[in-house]
Amino acid sequence: MFTPLDWLLSLFSLDIGIDLGTANTLVSVRGRGIVINEPSWVAIEKKTRKALAIGAEARQMVGRTPANIIAIRPLRDGVISEFEITEAMLEYFIGKAHEQSFVPLPRPRVVVGIPSGVTEVEKRAVYDATMSAGAREAFLIEEPMAAAIGAGLPITESRGSMIVDIGGGTTEVAIFSLGGIVISRSIRVAGDEMDEDIIQYMRTKYNLLIGERMAERAKIQVGSAYPLPEERMITMRGRNLVTGLPEAVEVSSIEMREALAPTVQVIVDTIKDALDETPPELISDLMESGICMAGGGSQLAGLTERLSEELNMRVWLAEDPMTCVARGAGRVLEDYDNLRRLLVGLHRGSTHH
Ligand code: ADP
Ligand code: MG
C-alpha cells in the first residue's frame, strides 16, 4: 500500500539507474545525470578477500599489486562470478552517489541493468546485492532494454526497433516491438576479445608480449573494422619472447584491422543471425529505422560503415553510446507507471548462497 510516508520518502529520496558493466560501472541520478563512471575493478586482499580499493583506484593497481593484493574484474564475463565482491562494489558506488547530496536522504530506489539471459540465481544475486548495498527498493532491467530506452528508441511502439550493445565482455543484440524483446542474441565476444586478438597477433607475428592496457590503447587509437580514410601507425611496447628483452615495434592500422577481423566477423554474423529470424514485418520497419549501436565497443572506428555494408541497412551510433544503459535504467523510475512493465520480474522465495 502507498502510505503518506512512502510519498514523503519518494519526494526526497534519490532515483538511481546503474549500469553494472563488465568493463565500466555507471550511475545516473534523476535530475543530475551520470554521477559515477568508473572501471568495474576491485582490488582485494588475497587471504581475507576484503575489498581494499574500488573503481578507478583499483584499476590503477592492475599489474602493479604486491603479492598479497589482487585486482579483479568481478563481472568480466557478464555474470556475477564473485558475489561478495560485486556486492562491495555496488555498495561503494551507491554510497558514493548518495554522499554527493548535501542533506541526509532516505535510501534510494535503484534500477540495475543485467545482461539478458542471466539465470534466476544470478538475477537474485544482483537484487540481493543491491538491497544489501542500501537500496530502499531494487528493480532489474535487461541491459539491451535499458540501452534502447537510453538511446531514445521507440520500443513501446508496435513499429520494430533494434539495438546492438557491444561492451567489454558481451555483445547483446535485441529487436523490440510493443515494449517487448522479440528476438535477442547475447554472446561473450566484445571489446575484451578484441584486445586479446591484438595480444595474440603481436605474439604470433612479432614475438612481442604486450599487456592488456597496451592492446586496448592500440584498439582505440588505430583499430578499425573498415578501411580508414588515412591509415596510421602506432608503437607497441612489450617484451620480446625470444630475447626476453624490452622492445618497441611499429605496427600499422592495416595490421590492427587484420588482427581484429575474426572478432568483428563474429559480431557481424551474430547480427545477421538475429535478422534472419526476424519476422518480415519487423524487418521492413528496421529498414526504415536502422540499427542503433551502443556500448564502448560500438565506437570501434569504421564499425558502423562495415555493418551498413554487410547488412544493407542504416547503422548508427547512439548519442553518448557508453552511458545509454545507466540513463535508460534511471529513466524507468521517472516514468514508473508506464515503464514498470519493462522491468524484469523476480520469482519470489528463490534463495541464494
Ligand atoms: P561494459 O558495458 O561491458 O562495461 P562498455 O560499454 O563500458 O562495457 O565498453 C567497454 C569496452 O569498450 C572496452 O572493451 C573498451 O576497450 C571499448 N572501447 C571504448 N572506447 C572505444 C573506442 N573508441 N573504440 C573501440 N573500443 C572502445
Ligand atoms: Mg554494457
Side-chain angles (χ1 to χ4, degrees), residues 323-342:
T323 64
C324 288
V325 171
R327 287 186 287 112
R331 194 161 307 154
V332 177
L333 293 173
E334 281 173 36
D335 193 10
Y336 185 69
D337 289 339
N338 285 316
L339 300 181
R340 60 190 297 177
R341 66 194 177 89
L342 307 181

Side-chain angles (χ1 to χ4, degrees), residues 75-306:
L75 295 147
R76 190 152 217 151
D77 296 308
V79 292
I80 296 202
S81 49
E82 301 267 3
F83 180 77
E84 272 81 21
I85 297 166
T86 304
E87 188 178 54
M89 201 168 79
L90 268 175
E91 198 169 339
Y92 172 78
F93 287 131
I94 292 175
K96 209 169 162 181
H98 210 224
E99 260 170 32
Q100 290 175 358
S101 48
F102 298 104
V103 287
L105 294 173
R107 293 180 297 143
R109 287 200 299 177
V110 182
V111 177
V112 187
I114 51 163
S116 54
V118 302
T119 65
E120 211 54 47
V121 172
E122 287 165 338
K123 282 182 205 167
R124 195 77 213 177
V126 180
Y127 176 85
D128 289 348
T130 310
M131 289 303 283
S132 62
R136 176 162 54 94
E137 284 179 281
F139 307 95
L140 308 180
I141 187 166
E142 286 184 275
E143 272 170 12
M145 182 79 82
I149 297 170
L153 300 186
I155 59 165
T156 55
E157 291 175 17
S158 60
R159 172 159 68 95
S161 44
M162 176 165 183
I163 195 122
V164 175
D165 177 353
I166 307 176
T170 59
T171 295
E172 307 233 16
V173 178
I175 293 161
F176 305 87
S177 174
L178 294 168
I181 296 179
V182 183
I183 303 283
S184 72
R185 287 286 181 281
S186 176
I187 52 166
R188 292 187 177 185
V189 172
D192 293 342
E193 194 82 6
M194 297 180 195
D195 302 346
E196 202 51 50
D197 287 340
I198 293 178
I199 293 173
Q200 280 304 330
Y201 186 91
M202 293 308 293
R203 190 202 299 259
T204 314
K205 186 161 177 189
Y206 294 103
N207 277 316
L208 190 73
L209 181 67
I210 61 167
E212 274 179 32
R213 300 185 74 168
M214 176 84 241
E216 185 184 32
R217 201 178 323 139
K219 170 185 71 179
I220 292 173
Q221 285 178 11
V222 303
S224 63
Y226 199 78
L228 297 172
E230 239 176 277
E231 300 293 348
R232 291 193 297 274
M233 302 294 289
I234 187 171
T235 308
M236 299 282 224
R237 292 196 181 78
R239 181 157 49 86
N240 184 301
L241 287 165
V242 178
T243 64
L245 297 173
E247 192 176 83
V249 175
E250 292 270 309
V251 298
S252 72
S253 51
I254 299 172
E255 290 176 284
M256 290 297 97
R257 187 158 59 247
E258 191 185 318
L260 298 173
T263 293
V264 171
Q265 194 59 51
V266 170
I267 293 172
V268 171
D269 292 343
T270 303
I271 301 172
K272 273 189 180 160
D273 196 47
L275 286 169
D276 260 354
E277 278 195 26
T278 304
E281 293 298 333
L282 285 180
I283 289 282
S284 105
D285 293 344
L286 297 180
M287 292 192 66
E288 272 177 38
S289 57
I291 301 175
C292 178
M293 306 263 291
S298 68
Q299 301 176 104
L300 179 70
L303 190 56
T304 53
E305 289 90 331
R306 169 75 184 279

